[in-house]
Amino acid sequence: MLAEVLIIGAGPAGSACARVLALAGVDVLLVDQHPPGRDKICGDGLIPDAHKALARLGLLDAVMRRAQHVAHVGCIGPRGGRIDVPGSLAVLPRRELDALLLQAARDAGARFEQARFEAPLEQDGRIVGARLKHGDEIVEARAQWVVLATGAVPKALTAAGMCERHTPSGVALRGYVKAPQMVDRIKALEVVWDKSVRPGYGWIFPAPDGHFNIGVGVTDSHRDLGGKGRKKDVNLRAIFDAFVEKYAPAAELMRVGDMVGELKGAPLRCTLTGARWTRPGLLVTGEAAGSTYSFTGEGIGKAMETGMLAANAILAHADDTTARAAYEASLTALKPKFDLYERANRVNAHPWLADLLIWRAKKSPRLLARMSGVLNETSNPGNLVSLKGLSRLFIE
Ligand SMILES: Cc1cc2nc3c(=O)[nH]c(=O)nc-3n(C[C@H](O)[C@H](O)[C@H](O)COP(=O)(O)OP(=O)(O)OC[C@H]3O[C@@H](n4cnc5c(N)ncnc54)[C@H](O)[C@@H]3O)c2cc1C
């Protein structure tokens, strides 16, 4: 196999990267270990950065024709207080979203093969392709660039010599419930903080056709407690049950609705940490590079955005060193946004902060507007990143 660019992983990051490159006339081979139409365990929420990325890919209208439109993130505190933060939001199950993105990459001219990345091919210190498991065969695919967009499971990162941290930043679990009778009751992306889900949150997101995506996520799930191999004991199923018991709309949803499929869990890699971003001939993008936001666990938008950044670096620079430097600089420019979400993570650890924030925001339209600005990425989070700025968010 031969291509100008070999992209491993056909999630939002890989497909976005493939589409941009293929539209520019680059010969792209996109591979994934699963066939098109695979599922991805996710909350399926599309926040404003995802809308922007989809618009840049020319796919927003196609996605919004199928997605459930949503106008607010409903933030609910342990004492039941609630604020609704306005934003451009939507929900589309990943099976559909990712199939649409992959098809868009193929429509642009990228070739797709179902194959599993096993190891990079190296020549004179540069990656020049990959060894792939294609059916029962091991084949070599040669390329000028390899882009690793393999998501939160670190196996491929490790095989490529790019993994700096094997443990995830967090873990989350979700299920689908069909409950048309709840459609008028749950209209926002509901995010619920409570001691029962600490350090994390529970969610209910309204999906198309009377379905709901319900789940819980826990950050900092694999913090080493000291001593060899001692990790926190996180039982997501028990946390999910506690969330359902504690949050009345979740209890009602589970009572009146029909579960579709099983509850399933998956890891997250956040804050642009845990992996090297480049080595000669190779760029790491999407969640493999840690492109998911801490605090909220949202990552579809930034996966597409970083995938497009990788594509742009390859397109703009013929030389390996300058292309890698440009890509690293573009990721570094995103860091303040990720750092803000990392700092906000303290709300997950101390849910009473959510009560305080909700209480303040109810009294301060300016604070609510600022939160909406951060969600919509229309206001620069820079002034919120400092401790002073963050405390102003809580104390103003
Ligand atoms: C429970 C849960 C809820 C979430 N909720 C939300 C949400 O509501 N909104 C949001 O924006 N984000 C959410 N996220 C985060 C979001 O799912 C990720 O940020 C996003 O999927 C990252 O996209 P990606 O393209 O980088 O990786 P992925 O979507 O994981 O795609 C990686 C692809 O690489 C392929 N691959 C991996 N290894 C190999 C290999 N060796 N060879 C070939 N192919 C390989 C995989 O099969 C996969 O198709 C959630 C995550 C979890 C776990």
Side-chain angles (χ1 to χ4, degrees), residues 298-363:
E298 309 287 344
I300 301 168
K302 284 290 170 288
M304 290 187 280
E305 200 173 324
T306 56
M308 287 189 275
L309 291 173
N312 291 338
I314 291 171
L315 289 173
H317 305 278
D319 166 71
D320 183 291
T321 309
T322 48
R324 288 193 294 124
Y327 179 57
E328 298 219 351
S330 63
L331 291 188
T332 303
L334 290 177
K335 253 310 224 170
K337 287 179 183 167
F338 282 91
D339 290 343
L340 169 71
Y341 279 77
E342 182 67 37
R343 284 169 197 270
N345 221 348
R346 68 186 65 183
V347 174
N348 290 328
H350 308 289
W352 60 269
L353 281 170
D355 279 331
L356 179 62
L357 183 60
I358 290 163
W359 179 69
R360 298 296 315 180
K362 269 178 181 294
K363 300 205 308 189

Side-chain angles (χ1 to χ4, degrees), residues 7-16 31-35 38-47 49-50 90-91 94 97-98 101 112-119 131-133 148-157 159 170-175 189 201 203 205 213-217 236 264-270 285-293 296-304 306-307:
I7 301 173
I8 319 282
S15 291
V31 303
D32 199 288
Q33 60 195 350
H34 297 301
R38 65 106 177 91
D39 203 5
K40 159 74 175 85
I41 297 159
C42 186
D44 306 328
L46 298 170
I47 64 168
D49 67 348
V91 179
R94 288 293 297 277
L97 177 74
D98 290 26
L101 288 169
F112 175 80
E113 292 287 343
Q114 186 186 344
R116 192 175 70 219
F117 170 82
E118 296 283 327
R131 226 177 25 251
L132 305 173
K133 184 137 198 283
L148 214 58
T150 44
V153 176
K155 199 168 170 206
L157 269 181
V171 286
L173 170 104
R174 69 96 174 100
L189 300 185
Y201 59 89
W203 74 79
F205 292 171
N213 183 314
I214 178 169
V216 291
L236 277 178
K264 287 186 182 164
L268 298 113
R269 291 176 77 85
C270 303
T285 197
E287 198 164 16
S291 70
T292 298
Y293 276 144
T296 60
E298 309 287 344
I300 301 168
K302 284 290 170 288
M304 290 187 280
T306 56

